Amino acid sequence: MLINDLLARTRAHEALINAALQRVVARGWFVLGPEVAQFEQAFSAYLGLSHCVTVANGTDAIEIGLRAIGMKKGSKVATVANAGMYSTTAILAIGAEPCFMDVAPDTHNVALEEVERVIALGIDAVIVTHLYGRAVADIEEVARLCNAAGVRLFEDCAQAHGARINGRKVGSFGAASSFSFYPTKNLGALGDGGAIATASDEVAAVARSLRQYGWAQKYQVSRAHARNSRLDEMQAAVLSEFLPLLDATNARRRHIAQRYSDAIKHPRVSLPSWTGEDYVAHLFVVRCPERDALRAHLRGLDIAAEIHYPLPDHRQPVFGATYSEVFLPDTEQLATDILTLPCYPEMTDEQVDLVIDGINAWVA
Ligand SMILES: *Cc1c(COP(=O)(O)O)cnc(C)c1O
């Protein structure tokens, strides 16, 4: 069993996909055309925001989004260190300086005290990541703290399309937010894709210029540090077909997560705590002190399990000894005992049972 079966997904939606691709081929317009405009409109409406600016991938969405909210060379940007290095890569790409925050061990999301701590250090922006598809429970309080201190808040929603807090979707709490449409994400294309979402006309206008050479209009470059980072029409057409399915596929993911939560019972395995619409079950991550042994046991049963993510950002080789004095105890502990189980909408109930039985039968 795979950790995620993309072939099962394309098979399940083959007719939709073929019709979308054929529509684009027949039109002969391949980059930033009517499919992109239509998807941007539909996705911003889904989020309840006035603007969506699509780009080439989710990391570009963070980079361009950060620039659009005013971050530049030398800016100090706080982020968590347990989210796969994507936000840190974007921070480094703009010449800004990362400032790492620890997470709460029960949620794997940023701890509120850490947000308070970095605001007191005089940072310019905070990135919150709604990790594993679980919305940051304190996001409203985080937004209040940032606003009061004049700190920009940016949400990385690459794993959390459709997750809600108090009925409001993630991506709408900060100055801007980013999404990835990498194929395995909850809303995934058939290749790379990403988007910036915002309620601000100004942030959207800057992001639109930055994604296309810094143009004010065609062939007139008015902004420095711009990129070519565009979503293509085929991906937009496929995403427009998948978007109406998102709430149902998220519900299916949550159903699988609920079955795991109800049925996995093992003294060495602790399960994530989650409540409902705050979690779109992008990844189902358990903790186990003998994580590597559990993973090997599952592999022996032909069940893939992965580690998201094994090396915290501040320990990545790119930094050398720069952060050797920085300790993020919960982030570092989690990296040693987390394990991701298969959880994707096309999984069959029988496959879910195999995972449950496999873990329950494990002799630690
Ligand atoms: C996938 C992901 C990204 C990056 O998206 P890409 O489209 O792969 O560049 C950013 N942040 C998080 C949390 C992700 O999971």
Side-chain angles (χ1 to χ4, degrees), residues 44-343:
S44 57
Y46 175 81
L47 297 173
L49 285 169
S50 36
H51 303 282
C52 165
V53 180
T54 53
V55 292
N57 58 69
T59 309
D60 281 3
I62 305 174
E63 179 188 335
I64 292 170
L66 285 176
R67 276 200 196 278
I69 62 167
M71 296 305 109
K72 51 183 193 285
K73 188 163 192 262
S75 296
K76 292 189 173 64
V77 181
T79 190
V80 292
N82 69 333
M85 191 70 189
Y86 307 106
S87 57
T88 301
T89 299
I91 293 167
L92 295 178
I94 65 179
E97 190 189 316
C99 173
F100 296 112
M101 301 179 286
D102 207 356
V103 297
D106 54 335
T107 64
H108 305 253
N109 278 332
V110 68
L112 194 58
E113 323 79 80
E114 285 288 277
V115 176
E116 290 173 325
R117 178 178 67 81
V118 297
I119 287 176
L121 291 176
I123 43 133
D124 300 295
V126 168
I127 302 176
V128 295
T129 303
H130 303 284
L131 197 66
Y132 306 150
R134 184 186 197 180
V136 171
D138 303 318
I139 187 69
E140 289 172 328
E141 182 59 16
V142 171
R144 254 194 305 279
L145 289 171
C146 288
N147 285 339
V151 168
R152 302 290 258 166
L153 174 60
F154 189 90
E155 297 173 76
D156 181 358
C157 308
Q159 303 191 354
H161 318 63
R164 296 165 188 259
I165 288 286
N166 296 332
R168 194 164 140 198
K169 295 204 175 85
V170 300
S172 64
F173 295 92
S177 58
S178 59
F179 290 83
S180 166
F181 308 120
Y182 184 77
T184 59
K185 309 290 182 177
N186 288 44
L187 180 59
L190 304 183
D192 277 315
I196 297 137
T198 180
S200 159
D201 296 351
E202 149 114 49
V203 170
V206 175
R208 272 181 206 287
S209 172
L210 288 175
R211 78 171 167 184
Q212 184 156 245
Y213 319 120
W215 284 354
Q217 61 191 61
K218 205 168 187 185
Y219 305 135
Q220 187 196 101
V221 175
S222 66
R223 269 177 200 286
H225 307 298
R227 301 279 312 278
N228 171 15
S229 180
R230 300 177 296 210
L231 187 68
D232 73 69
E233 288 280 287
M234 295 213 195
Q235 301 307 337
V238 169
L239 288 168
S240 285
E241 300 297 333
F242 284 168
L243 178 58
L245 312 175
L246 177 59
D247 287 339
T249 48
N250 280 347
R252 172 69 187 155
R253 285 174 182 272
R254 245 191 317 260
H255 175 79
I256 294 165
Q258 188 65 57
R259 293 218 39 229
Y260 283 158
S261 296
D262 291 342
I264 295 175
K265 290 187 195 330
H266 194 290
R268 305 301 288 166
V269 178
S270 38
L271 302 174
S273 65
W274 56 282
T275 47
E277 62 174 12
D278 62 319
Y279 179 53
V280 291
H282 175 63
L283 298 177
F284 191 90
V285 176
V286 302
R287 297 183 61 185
C288 173
E290 300 84 13
R291 180 262 314 274
D292 295 330
L294 174 57
R295 189 183 189 193
H297 165 77
L298 290 173
R299 196 180 297 126
L301 298 172
D302 197 26
I303 296 168
E306 301 268 343
I307 300 163
H308 297 96
Y309 297 89
L311 195 57
D313 296 15
H314 62 304
R315 298 287 177 249
Q316 291 284 349
V318 65
F319 290 124
T322 309
Y323 295 103
S324 55
E325 305 289 302
V326 171
F327 291 101
L328 303 171
D330 289 313
T331 297
E332 288 165 35
Q333 176 60 43
L334 286 169
T336 70
D337 63 21
I338 48 175
L339 190 66
T340 304
L341 306 181
C343 180

Side-chain angles (χ1 to χ4, degrees), residues 2 4-14 17 344 346:
L2 303 164
N4 201 326
D5 187 349
L6 293 174
L7 187 56
R9 179 142 156 272
T10 50
R11 281 210 183 106
H13 304 294
E14 207 171 342
I17 291 167
Y344 56 91
E346 296 75 23

